[in-house]
Amino acid sequence: QVQLVESGGGLVQPGGSLRLSCVASRSIFISTMGWYRQAPGKQRELVAHITYGHTTYYADSVKGRFTISRDNAKNTVFLQMDSLKPEDTAIYYCNRVPRGPTDWGQGTQVTVSS
């Protein structure tokens, strides 16, 4: 059974930082892994992904502020989020890219507010 467990979210002021973590089953972790987010009333969007060989991609909205990384030995992918803005408020999920039939995990809530 594929498992994705996200953690690290919370409430932070604008300009602050958070570091998200996601532990994935080995069966999918060898894939390109990404972080997605879904804000209230909006569609889920991909914000960053990283290949098994550590090549990265970022959406324009987070480029220069977010950093994705992975620890292949621990089946863990990270998202370092700096200079957070209120518009970054969303539930953040990790999954393979493209997702295919893999179910979503529970996600982790990030709220950026003063």
Side-chain angles (χ1 to χ4, degrees):
Q1 182 179 358
V2 173
Q3 285 192 318
L4 294 160
V5 181
E6 301 94 343
S7 63
L11 173 63
V12 63
Q13 292 186 342
S17 298
L18 283 173
R19 180 176 169 87
L20 307 184
S21 299
C22 169
V23 180
S25 302
R26 185 65 184 174
S27 61
I28 67 167
F29 194 76
I30 58 175
S31 307
T32 294
M33 295 295 295
W35 283 96
Y36 302 75
R37 68 185 181 187
Q38 187 167 21
K42 294 188 178 181
Q43 289 190 333
R44 201 170 322 211
E45 63 174 346
L46 176 66
V47 296
H49 67 65
I50 184 167
T51 67
Y52 194 78
H54 301 272
T55 299
T56 58
Y57 155 85
Y58 297 95
D60 287 343
S61 58
V62 306
K63 198 172 294 182
R65 300 187 298 120
F66 290 10
T67 304
I68 189 170
S69 60
R70 62 191 293 163
D71 183 336
N72 291 339
K74 297 183 177 179
N75 297 348
T76 304
V77 61
F78 305 98
L79 188 67
Q80 177 67 40
M81 305 187 296
D82 299 315
S83 303
L84 282 161
K85 304 176 181 180
E87 51 263 45
D88 295 317
T89 295
I91 300 175
Y92 284 71
Y93 304 85
C94 70
N95 213 314
R96 68 170 85 188
V97 178
R99 184 176 71 89
T102 309
D103 290 335
W104 296 103
Q106 84 286 350
T108 186
Q109 175 72 49
V110 172
T111 303
V112 185
S113 175
S114 55

